[in-house]
Amino acid sequence: DGRVLVWDRRQASGPVAAMEPQAGAVPRECWAVAFGDAHTPDSRCVAAGYDNGDIKLLDLRTGKIRWESNAQNGVCGLQFDRPDIPMNKLAVTTLESKYRIYDVRTQHPVLGFSMLAQEAHGSTVWGASHLPQNRDVFMTQGGNGSLELWRYRYPAQRRVKDKDGHDKGVLGTVEQLQKTTLSTQPVCSFDWSPDKEGLAVAGLLDQTFRVLVCTKLDKL
């Protein structure tokens, strides 16, 4: 129904925050959500992605939409590179074989966040998962049953001044490190181990899950 609800388990009476469609607007399906910017007890943001490509960032402290954009295709997955630091990067995966990396550290008052778009998998990109031990390494999940390992490289300078004196983010580059195919069915979920670097589990629509090990990640 287009609503995004935030719940506190200590308050069972109802949601503590909500992001709802405007009155009279046609509601879009919300396909993905993610917490981020949790670097202080009072700082929290929720990113939401919708079937029409809309991306909205809700500031839970002020209760207002901080930023919104459109990814041109339905948003299947969202993840901040780390949820417990000031916002740094946001990965957005979509239909039509693409994902986007937003530099959410620097917000331009007109242009918003700088963005890098990358083709991947040759099919729907169901999600992206950042390595807990190195937030610049992430795995994407393909609708064709494949996994692709990527590394983000920062630019020499992360922000520049525009002609009006406003800070504007500068994007880096992404490099594919490895890829493999597990099945002919989509990889619908993926999670890294927080304790053992490189250990991961993937869930697939062929009714299986796979335990994986990615080696030499400490050499990156």
Side-chain angles (χ1 to χ4, degrees), residues 4-151:
V4 176
L5 306 177
V6 180
W7 300 82
D8 186 334
R9 289 178 294 178
R10 299 167 297 181
Q11 301 182 28
S13 58
V16 295
M19 183 163 52
E20 302 181 351
Q22 294 181 349
V26 177
R28 307 300 310 199
E29 295 179 5
C30 182
W31 284 1
V33 291
F35 272 118
D37 205 32
H39 57 285
T40 71
D42 298 324
S43 298
R44 293 288 189 282
C45 281
V46 173
Y50 297 82
D51 66 331
N52 65 342
D54 282 349
I55 307 167
K56 300 179 186 291
L57 188 65
L58 173 66
D59 189 326
L60 293 180
R61 184 174 59 84
T62 63
K64 297 180 179 180
I65 299 295
R66 178 171 172 179
W67 166 79
E68 55 186 319
S69 184
N70 187 279
Q72 301 178 354
N73 289 292
V75 176
C76 304
L78 298 164
Q79 192 181 72
F80 291 93
D81 56 354
R82 276 184 58 185
D84 56 349
I85 62 173
M87 290 193 306
N88 187 52
K89 299 192 301 295
L90 173 65
V92 178
T93 63
T94 69
L95 304 176
E96 302 296 335
S97 312
K98 291 182 179 178
Y99 70 83
R100 295 179 172 213
I101 301 294
Y102 288 88
D103 182 344
V104 289
R105 181 59 58 89
T106 303
Q107 185 173 4
H108 189 276
V110 177
L111 302 177
F113 299 118
S114 298
M115 179 274 296
L116 175 154
Q118 175 68 39
E119 292 192 2
H121 296 280
S123 64
T124 294
V125 186
W126 279 60
S129 300
H130 293 86
L131 184 68
Q133 295 83 5
N134 183 350
R135 66 189 184 202
D136 299 326
V137 175
F138 58 98
M139 187 77 79
T140 54
Q141 309 148 221
N144 59 356
S146 64
L147 293 172
E148 295 185 0
L149 186 67
W150 302 82
R151 174 169 55 178

Side-chain angles (χ1 to χ4, degrees), residues 103 106-108 112 114 157-160 167-171:
D103 182 344
T106 303
Q107 185 173 4
H108 189 276
S114 298
Q157 187 176 359
R158 290 198 63 180
R159 63 172 64 93
V160 295
D167 283 335
K168 178 183 177 181
V170 178
L171 264 298

